[in-house]
Amino acid sequence: MTTHQGVRAPDRRLSLHAMLLWTVAAGAAGAVVVAAFSPFSAATAAFSPPLYALLAGAYSFFPFLVRRVLGYPWAATAAGVVAGALSAPLSPIGVLVLVPFVAGGAAYDTVLWAVARIRRGQRTPAWAYAVAAVASALVLLVVSLPLLSPVHQLPFALAAVFAGRVAGQLTASGLAGVAGRRLLRAGTDR
């Protein structure tokens, strides 16, 4: 089974214990990212929603990474649940931080699940991760609509916010791919 182009995954399956540890570790790392960004994230979101949308892609890096390294369905969603639960006390929006983490991870996982069902047993192509990132960007835009001011809900402003979301999510997915390949080559998936 090959999870990334040019990288051979181990022939044995990971234990449930190892998958849980990886998922919780990725979620905890995601919570650290929220803690690092939270002092200025609310001000950035109010000042420039497109810039915030771009920077918020960093929140998706670790859920995307665990999905690429472990390759099990719904890994990004599970890591998002952990990240949201751990970061809720640190976030300006509290428990509501679960919504973007879970929604973004679920959109990413859903696209990858659908591609895997269609391609049955074949390696996940690079374009699938890009499509999954764009799908998560669209879902995150929809989730953020109620929070945008009326000025930022004009078509041009929404297009700019969506472009920021797409750029942020594609960057997170791409960097997760690079990091995932390196981790798999190093044998850290055991």
Side-chain angles (χ1 to χ4, degrees), residues 8-61:
R8 179 111 175 113
D11 291 327
R12 63 169 181 76
R13 292 194 180 271
L14 290 174
S15 69
L16 178 61
H17 182 257
M19 290 191 319
L20 284 172
L21 283 176
W22 267 95
T23 303
V24 170
V32 170
V33 172
V34 170
F37 280 42
S38 65
F40 62 88
S41 65
T44 306
F47 168 71
S48 175
L51 177 61
Y52 173 77
L54 175 67
L55 296 175
Y59 297 154
S60 297
F61 173 76

